[in-house]
């Protein structure tokens, strides 16, 4: 089922879309930022749990530039070193919003914009949002048209599809920045969740700036080895410089086999039995263990503290535009690119 809800804000009318299926699962997405606001599903006792963190009011999403709850991030997710890059012989400067570097494309991120509701398709439970990002927007070249489609299927898959075209070559690495807590958004630490990742390598960071060194390192024998299920907390406090730089996990892992049929990640909430499987055809995932949450006010009077949520941000690798040995995030002029990430829920 698909329903819409109009909300008056200080910046005009916002449209939220509620998609629900015959399994009692539902999501709420908003044309404010093409944001995922709620993701409700039944736990092992049949109780509905909202498994994503978020703000209490829609108004707060206009300034979603700190936690990025549920955000659609673009043009480039993650860090760009020195907030600059060269493309086709030209140098481009973007905003420095994290020291000397850029994080998530700066203060005017796509998650703070009002997107067009381009189409609603009740028969397949799907909504498409569209954003026109002019040449020079955020400092990037080319007029980019980005469409994000959310679809909720009857087998509990939330499919997020990105479709993009630009009139000039431009870097593009969009992501969804939802924080999951499979025990329920207000249930505290995620450290006892089980997690498994089909990722045999990761990109270490230089220091607390979180800029990758450019190396690709095997996870074997490191806390980053989630190839067999273990709790998120098992190794998180190890004395390991990579974890110390970021106060926990906040690193890009290379997916062994990015595809839409085999999950690259499986996580289970220890209290609810809610299982999340994630699929993508993008090459990397930023696994972030919510290290910088600090008693942040959230939905229904919740307070989100350190490690109360985790993100699986599918993307090209951080700083890829400045790192020749990483897969290129460049979208070629007048070519359409399409990426998809699927979050599927069930009961373990
Ligand atoms: C990303 C980054 C983190 C943090 C969050 C937002 O996941 O990798 O370091 O900045 O966004 O708080």
């Amino acid at each position: 089922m698909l329903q819409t809800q109009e909300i008056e804000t200080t910046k005009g009318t916002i449209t939220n879309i509620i998609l629900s299926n015959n399994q009692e699962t539902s999501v709420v997405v908003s044309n404010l930022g093409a944001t995922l606001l709620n993701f409700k599903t039944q736990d092992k006792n049949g109780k509905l749990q909202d498994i994503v963190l978020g703000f209490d009011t829609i108004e707060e999403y206009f300034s979603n530039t700190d936690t990025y709850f549920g955000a659609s991030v673009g043009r480039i997710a993650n860090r760009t070193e020195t907030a600059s890059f060269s493309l086709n012989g030209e140098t481009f400067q973007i905003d420095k919003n994290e020291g000397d570097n850029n994080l998530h494309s700066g203060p005017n991120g796509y998650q703070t914009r009002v997107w067009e509701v381009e189409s609603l398709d009740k028969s397949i439970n799907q909504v498409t949002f569209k954003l026109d990002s002019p040449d020079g927007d955020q400092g990037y070249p080319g007029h980019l048209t980005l469409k994000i489609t959310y679809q909720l299927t009857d087998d509990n898959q939330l499919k997020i599809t990105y479709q993009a075209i630009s009139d000039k070559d431009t870097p593009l690495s969009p992501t969804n920045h939802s924080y999951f807590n499979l025990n329920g958004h207000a249930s505290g630490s995620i450290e006892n969740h089980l997690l498994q990742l089909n990722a045999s390598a990761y990109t270490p960071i230089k220091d607390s700036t979180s800029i990758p060194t450019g190396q690709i390192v095997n996870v074997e024998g490191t806390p980053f080895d989630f190839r067999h299920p273990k709790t998120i907390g098992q190794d998180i406090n190890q004395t390991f410089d990579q974890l110390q730089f970021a106060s926990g996990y906040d690193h890009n892992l290379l997916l062994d086999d990015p595809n839409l049929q085999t999950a690259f990640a499986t996580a289970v909430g220890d209290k609810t039995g809610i299982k999340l499987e994630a699929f993508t055809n993008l090459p990397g995932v930023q696994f972030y263990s919510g290290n910088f949450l600090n008693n942040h006010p959230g939905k229904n009077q919740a307070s989100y503290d350190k490690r109360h949520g985790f993100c699986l941000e599918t993307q090209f690798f951080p700083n890829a535009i400045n790192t020749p040995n990483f897969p290129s995030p460049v979208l070629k002029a007048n070519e359409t690119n399409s990426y998809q990430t699927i979050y599927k829920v069930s009961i373990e």
Side-chain angles (χ1 to χ4, degrees):
M1 200 160 65
L2 185 157
Q3 293 157 286
T4 59
Q5 189 188 26
E6 310 263 277
I7 297 163
E8 295 311 320
T9 73
T10 52
K11 294 191 182 171
T13 309
I14 293 301
T15 308
N16 288 349
I17 292 98
I18 304 144
L19 305 172
S20 51
N21 70 11
N22 60 14
Q23 314 259 350
E24 309 289 327
T25 297
S26 65
V27 298
V28 182
V29 292
S30 181
N31 78 324
L32 169 47
T35 308
L36 176 61
L37 304 179
N38 296 340
F39 192 160
K40 291 187 182 161
T41 194
Q42 284 185 330
D43 68 14
K44 63 182 178 194
N45 299 317
K47 190 172 170 232
L48 277 183
Q49 301 286 354
D50 186 351
I51 58 167
V52 292
L53 277 54
F55 296 108
D56 204 28
T57 63
I58 193 77
E59 197 80 34
E60 289 165 275
Y61 286 92
F62 283 112
S63 47
N64 190 8
T65 53
D66 174 23
T67 56
Y68 302 85
F69 290 145
S72 288
V73 180
R75 287 185 198 186
I76 302 191
N78 219 313
R79 276 110 189 145
T80 300
E81 189 171 24
T82 67
S84 69
F85 59 90
S86 313
L87 186 60
N88 302 333
E90 235 186 291
T91 301
F92 296 91
Q93 187 68 48
I94 55 175
D95 286 303
K96 294 188 176 184
N97 64 332
E98 197 178 64
D100 202 31
N101 305 316
N102 175 278
L103 173 66
H104 294 327
S105 295
N108 190 20
Y110 290 175
Q111 78 281 5
T112 64
R113 319 258 182 112
V114 179
W115 294 51
E116 181 189 329
V117 180
E118 203 209 25
S119 62
L120 296 172
D121 192 335
K122 290 191 180 189
S123 64
I124 51 169
N125 238 355
Q126 173 173 297
V127 52
T128 298
F129 300 114
K130 178 179 156 192
L131 185 75
D132 273 300
S133 173
D135 191 5
D137 192 10
Q138 302 167 318
Y140 295 111
H143 181 115
L144 173 80
T145 302
L146 179 62
K147 294 183 189 180
I148 298 187
T149 299
Y150 285 95
Q151 183 189 21
L152 180 67
T153 67
D154 275 334
D155 66 346
N156 277 343
Q157 301 189 53
L158 176 63
K159 297 187 172 178
I160 308 175
T161 311
Y162 302 86
Q163 211 189 55
I165 188 160
S166 168
D167 61 2
K168 292 184 188 162
D169 289 3
T170 192
L172 177 70
S173 177
T175 197
N176 181 282
H177 204 294
S178 290
Y179 289 69
F180 292 96
N181 188 323
L182 303 175
N183 291 333
H185 75 100
S187 67
S189 173
I190 45 77
E191 285 173 70
N192 288 328
H193 281 49
L194 272 184
L195 177 68
Q196 191 261 327
L197 294 172
N198 291 330
S200 305
Y202 77 109
T203 52
I205 53 181
K206 292 180 181 176
D207 49 34
S208 60
T209 61
S210 292
I211 301 290
T213 60
Q215 291 156 299
I216 290 175
V217 172
N218 200 293
V219 296
E220 180 88 47
T222 77
F224 295 87
D225 192 350
F226 280 90
R227 289 173 296 178
H228 299 288
K230 66 178 182 187
T231 62
I232 292 176
Q234 182 178 304
D235 298 325
I236 206 167
N237 295 319
Q238 267 193 28
T239 317
F240 190 79
D241 59 356
Q242 288 294 318
L243 291 174
Q244 279 150 0
F245 292 151
S247 302
Y249 295 105
D250 191 4
H251 293 75
N252 171 65
L253 290 105
L254 281 68
L255 303 182
D256 289 343
D257 180 20
N259 72 82
L260 298 170
Q261 283 75 44
T262 325
F264 72 82
T266 305
V268 181
D270 51 300
K271 295 182 187 150
T272 55
I274 294 174
K275 174 158 104 179
L276 175 77
E277 289 168 286
F279 308 72
T280 192
N281 49 14
L282 281 157
V285 66
Q286 182 84 0
F287 168 47
Y288 172 51
S289 52
N291 313 319
F292 305 122
L293 292 172
N294 182 9
N295 284 319
H296 203 288
K299 291 185 241 187
N300 313 318
Q301 274 87 56
S303 174
Y304 306 131
D305 211 358
K306 184 173 180 179
R307 312 230 172 103
H308 283 198
F310 68 97
C311 304
L312 294 170
E313 304 159 52
T314 55
Q315 55 189 220
F316 284 93
F317 307 167
N319 201 32
I321 191 67
N322 290 316
T323 316
N325 63 313
F326 288 174
S328 168
V330 175
L331 168 68
K332 290 283 182 196
N334 303 315
E335 285 179 15
T336 303
N337 271 17
S338 179
Y339 310 112
Q340 192 171 69
T341 295
I342 303 172
Y343 295 115
K344 179 179 184 188
V345 287
S346 58
I347 299 296
E348 173 75 341

